[in-house]
Amino acid sequence: MRITLRASRSLFYLARSAKAERLAPGRQRCCYSSGHNFKDITIEGRPYKTDSWMNTPASILSSIPRRLHLQPDHPISLTRQLIESHFPGFTYHNDLFPIVSVAQNFDSLNFPPDHPGRSRTDTYYINRDTVLRTHTSAHQADTFRANENSGFLISADVYRRDAVDRSHYPVFHQMEGAKTWNRNDPTSHSTLAAQIWADVAALPTHSMQVSDPSPTIDPEHNPLQSAHHTAEEVEAMAAHLKRSLENVVISIFTAARAASASPSDQPPQDREPLQMRWVTAYFPFTSPSWELEVLWQDTWLEVLGCGIISHSILSAADQPSRLGWAFGVGLERIAMLLFSIPDIRLFWSKDPRFLSQFSAAGEMKRFVPFSKHPACFKDVSFWVKGTSSAAGGLGGSVSGEGGFHENDVMEIARDVAGDLVEDVRLVDEFSHPKTGRRSLCYRVNYRSLERTLTNVESNELHERFRQQLVERLGVELR
Ligand code: DAH
């Protein structure tokens, strides 16, 4: 028997590598009009036509009004404010609508036509041209075009079809940041690079050692956009970017430590000096690009992605004389570290035992779990119909037509059990030696964050899950 563990998937849109482990719904007015094959829907007063690409369940649409990043005293909102406090003078955009065009989400950022992120197995579509944004970068081009401020932050809810476990949820929050300089602006410095270095000197300093072994520019793996930038300019912008982000991460982790009442309360990993490192990365919209990783409980975690903005994006946004940096950070991951929140579903809880623990006023405090209810594991084994692709989604066809994809299993589990499902993982996989048919076994953990589930309840949930797998994916139960 071969046990296949789920591949570790990157938090960000980069060539998926095994560098670092991942730490991993309100009511929505949604009107359907009849008379068409595909329904017209209205989401927060905005009309949309659906077509055969529509794959967004009502449960996902119902999370749109929650806007956790704007709820006073919510940990996602507190995390946003903590990061914003490091970027004085920037413009903050916190209310951008989550439904965007494919052009905004992918094309404007140079995603190639066959990028796996565009697949219907990975992304929620409303119609062929319209998606629920999968990242806050979707608003970069428009914000550059508006050119209100040389620095901006965008915080928002983002949506991705993904695994079900304690660090993944189909709706999460990101913050995007960007800072640009204009070549045509008058400066008292001899060169633009000298101007940027002066801006670096004006940033707060810190005394931490941060490992950064790779050269800023690597012609093969992390190239300079040589038609548009000089190496001196990129060295200066990289220094500005890295110092700005190191300051943010240091303050977050310092706050996380301070959150514990006394040193003896601190888990051992918190007493070690903080360790961070820069690693080379790849994004379709920056070059060179990096990720910042933090050592957390003996594992290097990717905390954010960043880089030097592709000139093509600025120039398409009518800003050909600008150059600068951008970054993207996942707010749940930071908030989970900051407040020791063990399960991403908790962010969506309306239970006062969760919500009352956080406050913008006063000291930042660790989350104290109010109870741990028993886990209830149940397996389901089935024969897959047709072709299939793995958890990483790399094999998924862009249209997602015809094949089996693990994200569909995940979505059915969420549809059936909502937040009563904690984790779904592949525990066994084999191909029949004679027929070549593929069999998969998934283990589902049903557990409520708020109460103990009864046996009858979990049996019913699991039976519905099994039936839906058959009805929606055409699998054959074993
Ligand atoms: N949008 C990326 C993602 O979600 C994260 C990101 C990486 C944003 C690098 C950036 C950046 O602005 O420069 O996968």
Side-chain angles (χ1 to χ4, degrees):
M1 184 189 291
R2 190 160 66 85
I3 306 284
T4 309
L5 295 174
R6 189 162 52 227
S8 120
R9 298 179 63 186
S10 172
L11 184 61
F12 302 117
Y13 283 129
L14 71 166
R16 298 169 199 241
S17 70
K19 277 195 325 276
E21 288 289 314
R22 298 185 71 174
L23 181 65
R27 286 196 73 77
Q28 172 64 31
R29 270 185 301 129
C30 188
C31 327
Y32 291 88
S33 71
S34 55
H36 303 277
N37 273 348
F38 294 103
K39 292 164 177 153
D40 295 346
I41 60 172
T42 305
I43 301 166
E44 297 203 336
R46 301 172 193 228
Y48 295 94
K49 290 212 173 308
T50 64
D51 62 16
S52 62
W53 282 66
M54 169 71 169
N55 64 350
T56 312
S59 59
I60 292 293
L61 293 176
S62 73
S63 350
I64 292 178
R66 293 288 299 275
R67 295 184 170 77
L68 300 184
H69 63 293
L70 296 178
Q71 297 309 313
D73 297 335
H74 193 282
I76 295 294
S77 174
L78 300 179
T79 304
R80 166 182 65 77
Q81 292 169 57
L82 177 62
I83 304 178
E84 284 175 348
S85 70
H86 286 272
F87 296 94
F90 278 45
T91 299
Y92 311 143
H93 302 275
N94 293 332
D95 204 11
L96 295 173
F97 199 61
I99 301 183
V100 300
S101 65
V102 168
Q104 287 171 301
N105 200 79
F106 295 119
D107 304 340
S108 75
L109 294 157
N110 301 333
F111 278 68
D114 61 349
H115 192 282
R118 294 181 184 253
S119 157
R120 285 176 73 230
T121 57
D122 283 28
T123 294
Y124 291 110
Y125 281 81
I126 300 293
N127 58 46
R128 172 182 283 278
D129 303 314
T130 314
V131 294
L132 268 66
R133 73 182 152 225
T134 62
H135 56 167
T136 43
S137 308
H139 301 288
Q140 263 196 24
D142 295 336
T143 316
F144 288 137
R145 188 171 298 107
N147 195 24
E148 262 178 61
N149 192 327
S150 69
F152 63 79
L153 297 177
I154 298 168
S155 300
D157 40 329
V158 301
Y159 298 77
R160 291 190 199 169
R161 300 182 86 227
D162 207 338
V164 174
D165 63 36
R166 288 197 291 165
S167 57
H168 293 93
Y169 202 82
V171 191
F172 59 104
H173 297 78
Q174 286 187 332
M175 185 189 283
E176 189 85 5
K179 161 82 188 161
T180 58
W181 289 265
N182 188 346
R183 288 192 185 288
N184 298 338
D185 277 352
T187 162
S188 52
H189 296 269
S190 54
T191 60
L192 179 62
Q195 167 69 57
I196 300 170
W197 279 115
D199 293 343
V200 175
L203 292 172
T205 53
H206 66 75
S207 55
M208 262 204 45
Q209 285 277 338
V210 184
S211 149
D212 191 4
S214 308
T216 306
I217 297 163
D218 171 340
E220 202 182 333
H221 299 113
N222 219 5
L224 174 73
Q225 301 172 53
S226 54
H228 307 286
H229 306 150
T230 67
E232 292 71 31
E233 288 163 351
V234 168
E235 289 291 351
M237 288 189 286
H240 195 275
L241 167 66
K242 288 178 177 177
R243 173 91 65 76
S244 305
L245 294 175
E246 287 164 6
N247 284 337
V248 172
V249 171
I250 291 168
S251 97
I252 287 168
F253 283 81
T254 310
R257 287 169 188 207
S260 44
S262 71
S264 58
D265 274 0
Q266 290 181 338
Q269 75 275 0
D270 284 8
R271 286 183 230 124
E272 302 297 324
L274 179 59
Q275 287 193 56
M276 300 194 282
R277 70 180 186 194
W278 287 103
V279 298
T280 301
Y282 171 79
F283 302 101
F285 38 91
T286 49
S287 190
S289 315
W290 306 277
E291 280 178 351
L292 183 53
E293 296 185 348
V294 173
L295 192 63
W296 185 257
Q297 302 183 354
D298 292 330
T299 306
W300 285 101
L301 293 180
E302 46 185 57
V303 172
L304 55 87
C306 62
I308 304 301
I309 304 160
S310 294
H311 180 76
S312 62
I313 296 174
L314 287 162
S315 126
D318 296 331
Q319 307 297 330
S321 61
R322 290 199 165 268
L323 63 172
W325 54 248
F327 73 86
V329 56
L331 295 180
E332 272 79 356
R333 174 174 288 188
I334 300 285
M336 287 172 91
L337 298 173
L338 196 49
F339 298 100
S340 304
I341 295 174
D343 189 311
I344 197 165
R345 289 174 296 166
L346 280 162
F347 292 116
W348 297 90
S349 170
K350 294 176 178 165
D351 190 323
R353 290 174 297 176
F354 176 73
L355 292 172
S356 66
Q357 296 199 26
F358 310 95
S359 159
E363 305 233 310
M364 195 163 271
K365 290 209 281 305
R366 262 168 205 267
F367 168 65
V368 182
F370 36 88
S371 49
K372 182 88 173 163
H373 299 282
C376 174
F377 293 100
K378 295 196 183 291
D379 290 359
V380 56
S381 302
F382 53 82
W383 296 107
V384 171
K385 189 180 140 200
T387 54
S388 64
S389 82
L394 292 169
S397 66
V398 169
S399 70
E401 240 85 69
F404 168 89
H405 194 288
E406 181 166 283
N407 282 349
D408 296 331
V409 174
M410 301 295 166
E411 188 157 286
I412 292 173
R414 291 248 190 239
D415 268 6
V416 167
D419 286 355
L420 299 179
V421 58
E422 176 169 304
D423 189 271
V424 181
R425 59 178 70 241
L426 185 64
V427 288
D428 185 34
E429 177 184 19
F430 81 93
S431 294
H432 192 282
K434 293 216 175 89
T435 63
R437 281 176 97 197
R438 199 159 155 249
S439 163
L440 302 175
C441 176
Y442 283 90
R443 180 158 299 158
V444 186
N445 180 6
Y446 297 98
R447 187 202 317 251
S448 164
L449 291 165
E450 285 148 14
R451 61 194 176 81
T452 298
L453 293 180
T454 64
N455 269 338
V456 174
E457 233 176 331
S458 48
N459 284 338
E460 275 177 13
L461 287 172
H462 196 59
E463 193 45 41
R464 287 221 311 275
F465 178 50
R466 287 162 49 90
Q467 293 312 324
Q468 289 284 308
L469 288 171
V470 174
E471 279 174 32
R472 290 164 60 177
L473 304 184
V475 305
E476 188 187 323
L477 297 177
R478 302 187 53 202

